[in-house]
Amino acid sequence: MIEVMQNLKNNGFEVVLVEDKNEALEYAKKFIKADISIGLGGSTTVAEIGLLDYLTSLKNIILFNQYEKNISGAENLKRRRDGLLSDLYITGTNAITKNGEIVNVDGSGNRVAAQIFGPKKVLIFVSTDKIVNNLEEAMDRINKICIPKNIQRCNETALKYGKEPKFNERNIAKKFSIIKGDDEGRIIIVLIKQRLGF
């Protein structure tokens, strides 16, 4: 773990190691200030640590929440676009290599785009079980775990809201990214020593 964290730091990322989802949530709260604008990327981990519920409960921030119920498709798209220019972007990741690379797959691309450029700060929450040896293992993890589970999750959500479950690999896994480094201090990776997300 020490080697991974050092490699991430060498690549320009800030890294924090926390014990569990409760500690992760408390750490996130340090970045939430009045009048800050916050964008969101798809992340089961962010929901599981309670951060999504916490953000939606606040009245003194500008939250571009594309997950709000009953918003139109046009409003959903607008909020995802607005999130790309937010003060703070909060998301997860699919894999981190031991060399300190962040690897992701995305459907629409807003999550990978925001990690690469746009928001002033990016908070990435990731459980330590997503650390893999190399890029080959990262892609293997994405193909065997992340894509199938995301298809299932999206189709279940569609059914829940009375929509057609039309998600498949073609519309879930369209955009891939490998981030080998970033400007120092922009991306903060919160490693969680608890199995979360997928």
Side-chain angles (χ1 to χ4, degrees):
M1 186 63 62
I2 294 172
E3 179 187 358
V4 176
M5 292 179 70
Q6 189 57 56
N7 286 338
L8 285 164
K9 289 175 184 176
N10 290 344
N11 292 344
F13 307 114
E14 287 190 18
V15 190
V16 174
L17 182 65
V18 299
E19 290 294 325
D20 55 28
K21 63 182 183 179
N22 296 323
E23 193 175 337
L25 177 59
E26 290 307 307
Y27 181 78
K29 289 179 181 179
K30 298 176 183 179
F31 295 86
I32 315 300
K33 311 293 183 186
D35 300 320
I36 193 174
S37 63
I38 300 175
L40 299 170
S43 171
T44 303
T45 302
V46 170
E48 287 178 348
I49 67 174
L51 183 50
L52 186 57
D53 287 341
Y54 174 74
L55 291 171
T56 55
S57 74
L58 299 176
K59 306 299 182 191
N60 63 342
I61 62 170
I62 302 162
L63 180 63
F64 302 121
N65 182 13
Q66 67 264 34
Y67 305 108
E68 185 178 341
K69 292 179 183 177
N70 302 319
I71 61 172
S72 67
E75 178 62 22
N76 178 288
L77 182 59
K78 180 182 182 302
R79 292 183 187 188
R80 281 186 284 151
R81 283 180 170 155
D82 288 341
L84 297 177
L85 294 176
S86 58
D87 296 316
L88 177 65
Y89 196 86
I90 296 172
T91 189
T93 191
N94 297 125
I96 289 179
T97 70
K98 287 186 176 176
N99 286 333
E101 300 151 319
I102 303 171
V103 188
N104 280 290
V105 64
D106 213 353
S108 66
N110 64 302
R111 182 173 67 117
V112 297
Q115 289 182 9
I116 292 167
F117 184 81
K120 294 175 183 174
K121 285 269 187 189
V122 178
L123 268 179
I124 297 177
F125 292 89
V126 55
S127 59
T128 53
D129 67 295
K130 295 182 183 180
I131 296 171
V132 296
N133 286 313
N134 50 45
L135 289 173
E136 183 180 355
E137 285 189 14
M139 293 307 299
D140 193 53
R141 184 180 196 285
I142 283 170
N143 286 315
K144 291 180 178 176
I145 299 173
C146 304
I147 292 173
K149 289 193 174 183
N150 265 306
I151 291 170
Q152 179 183 355
R153 177 181 61 88
C154 289
N155 282 326
E156 287 173 355
T157 301
L159 285 170
K160 182 179 175 182
Y161 293 113
K163 297 179 180 178
E164 183 184 351
K166 57 183 179 180
F167 293 95
N168 54 52
E169 189 166 343
R170 285 187 307 158
N171 54 28
I172 285 290
K174 293 189 290 188
K175 287 143 187 170
F176 291 78
S177 70
I178 300 168
I179 305 175
K180 295 191 172 188
D182 200 66
D183 299 329
E184 286 191 19
R186 180 179 168 269
I187 293 179
I188 301 119
I189 298 170
V190 183
L191 294 171
I192 309 167
K193 294 196 288 185
Q194 180 182 3
R195 186 177 290 272
L196 296 164
F198 45 80

